[in-house]
Amino acid sequence: MTGPAIRARGLKKRFGEVRAVGGIDIEVSKGELFGFLGPNGAGKTTTMSMLTGLSRPDAGSIEIGGIDCSRNPKAAQHLIGVVSDESNLYPELSGFDNLCFSGALYGMRRQDRSRKASELLELFGLVDASSRKFSGYSKGMKRRLVIAAAIMHSPPLLFLDEPTSGIDVESSRMIRQLLTGLHRQGVTIFLTTHFIGEAERLCDRIAFIASGRIVRTDTVERLLQPVQGRYALTVSLSGGCPIPLGELEVAFPGLDFQLQAPDELRVESGEPLKAGSLVRFLEDRGVEVIEARKRVLSLEDVFVEITGIGAGSMLKEKEGRWR
C-alpha cells in the first residue's frame, strides 16, 4: 500500500429522506488501530459499508492503500478483510472448510489455504470444532471464525463492525487479544464499537460520530486530557425530596454539583470523593439516598460532553456502590 491506509473525503449517504452520513472526512495511517464510535443510528455501519465497497456513496471520494475506489468500489478488495456485525459464512460447511473456501475466493492455492486454515483454527482456539458445521457453533465461536476468515489472505487492512457485541466474555477477551496482536504486526485496523472502554484500551486514535457527522477525531491521550485526575459520584435519590443544592455548594466548596434528573445528583472533583459525609449531609436534611456510585472519569464522559448524547446502554463504567 502507498499513502494512508484509508483516505475519505466528503462522504455522504442518504436512504430516502434519512441522512445516514452527512459529508465526513476520514484518514487512517498505515499500522494504526482506529476506533469509530457512536450510538446506534449514528452512521458507523453505513460509513464502513462505503469504505469497504459494499455500498456506493452518494458523494465523496475513497482511497484504500492509495487506490482510488470512487469509480470502482471493489478495486481494493484484495487489500482488506471485513468482519461485519452479521455472519457471512456457510452454516453447512465445517469451520475448516469455511476458512478454505474464504481463501479460495482470494485466489490462495489449495496447499496454502489448508495450512493457513489450520494455523488460524489453532490461533483462535477452534481446533476441536474444526470439523463441526458452522451452524453448530456458539455465537462467540462464530464471531471468532468470521474474523479468522477475514484474515485468511493476510490483508494489510482489517475492518471490524462491533466484533465483541453480544458474545461471551471469553470470546470477547480473546478477540481483543487477537486484535492487539495483529496491530503489533502492523495490520491497520478500523474498528467500530459500542463499548467505549474497549476502544480506550485498544485504539491509537478515535473518531466520534453523531447524527451522520464526525464531531471529534483525536488520540486517546488527548481526548482524555480534560478528565484526567477527575472523579465523579452519582447519587440516586428518592423521588419527591427537594435537593438542597445551595447548601451543598456552601458545605462542600471543592465539589461541583449538577442535577442530572429530579432524583439524580452528579458530583465531580479533582480529588478522590468520600461518599459518606455527602450521604450523611443529605440524609440529615431529609433527603433519602438510595445509592451512590463513584468512579474515575473516562472516555465515556468525553464522549457524552462532545456529542451531547446520554451514555445509555452503550457505555460501560467501572463503579463502586454504597447501598
Side-chain angles (χ1 to χ4, degrees):
M1 294 196 300
T2 60
I6 303 169
R7 179 186 283 135
R9 293 287 182 266
L11 287 188
K12 294 182 179 181
K13 186 69 177 180
R14 299 187 71 92
F15 297 100
E17 297 299 313
V18 178
R19 185 194 69 185
V21 176
I24 65 173
D25 299 335
I26 297 173
E27 187 162 311
V28 180
S29 301
K30 286 185 285 188
E32 187 173 18
L33 205 167
F34 186 84
F36 199 51
L37 274 63
N40 283 331
K44 301 188 305 297
T45 298
T46 300
T47 299
M48 198 175 86
S49 294
M50 290 188 286
L51 294 176
T52 57
L54 299 176
S55 175
R56 285 181 177 271
D58 296 333
S61 63
I62 298 171
E63 291 182 15
I64 300 294
I67 298 173
D68 186 351
C69 301
S70 302
R71 294 184 178 180
N72 181 4
K74 303 291 185 181
Q77 290 295 296
H78 61 290
L79 297 177
I80 68 175
V82 182
V83 179
S84 66
D85 58 350
E86 296 182 0
S87 170
N88 56 355
L89 300 184
Y90 291 92
E92 295 305 308
L93 292 181
S94 69
F96 179 82
D97 288 341
N98 261 303
L99 293 185
C100 288
F101 182 75
S102 295
L105 292 176
Y106 286 96
M108 294 177 67
R109 295 181 300 177
R110 181 187 296 272
Q111 184 177 356
D112 291 339
R113 59 183 186 251
S114 294
R115 175 187 52 78
K116 186 65 176 290
S118 298
E119 290 176 358
L120 290 174
L121 288 165
E122 177 73 32
L123 179 65
F124 282 78
L126 295 170
V127 172
D128 292 341
S130 62
S131 60
R132 284 164 44 191
K133 289 182 179 180
F134 182 67
S135 60
Y137 281 26
S138 69
K139 191 168 184 179
M141 292 167 64
K142 285 180 177 179
R143 194 68 54 83
R144 281 185 264 163
L145 194 73
V146 169
I147 296 173
I151 61 175
M152 266 292 290
H153 60 300
S154 301
L157 174 56
L158 182 62
F159 289 89
L160 300 106
D161 192 8
E162 310 288 354
T164 60
S165 179
I167 62 175
D168 61 277
V169 173
E170 181 183 1
S171 292
S172 295
R173 187 172 182 178
M174 179 176 288
I175 287 170
R176 285 193 291 269
Q177 290 172 343
L178 290 163
L179 294 182
T180 299
L182 290 168
H183 182 215
R184 287 174 180 162
Q185 294 169 25
V187 176
T188 306
I189 298 173
F190 186 96
L191 171 70
T192 76
T193 179
H194 276 105
F195 303 118
I196 288 187
E198 180 173 83
E200 185 176 339
R201 291 193 299 272
L202 292 175
C203 296
D204 300 314
R205 282 194 308 141
I206 290 173
F208 291 136
I209 182 171
S211 302
R213 294 189 181 277
I214 293 177
V215 292
R216 177 84 179 270
T217 302
D218 216 329
T219 64
V220 172
E221 182 180 3
R222 283 197 287 264
L223 287 168
L224 286 171
Q225 281 177 354
V227 298
Q228 282 181 337
R230 295 206 44 92
Y231 301 82
L233 179 72
T234 302
V235 185
S236 298
L237 309 166
S238 176
C241 300
I243 300 172
L245 278 178
E247 292 184 54
L248 284 167
E249 290 168 353
V250 171
F252 302 92
L255 305 184
D256 297 324
F257 296 92
Q258 183 179 358
L259 199 59
Q260 299 283 93
D263 57 354
E264 185 172 287
L265 180 68
R266 180 183 175 89
V267 188
E268 287 191 21
S269 173
E271 301 291 336
L273 287 158
K274 294 182 179 180
S277 58
L278 181 61
V279 169
R280 286 192 295 272
F281 183 89
L282 290 168
E283 290 181 337
D284 287 345
R285 282 149 184 79
V287 180
E288 183 182 353
V289 177
I290 298 172
E291 181 182 61
R293 305 183 301 276
K294 77 175 182 179
R295 59 189 174 85
V296 177
L297 294 180
S298 68
L299 196 60
E300 164 192 332
D301 303 277
V302 177
F303 174 86
V304 173
E305 182 177 348
I306 289 173
T307 65
I309 296 172
S313 61
M314 70 169 286
L315 306 175
K316 308 297 180 183
E317 63 182 40
K318 294 180 179 178
E319 56 185 30
R321 298 179 185 271
W322 294 262
R323 295 186 184 275

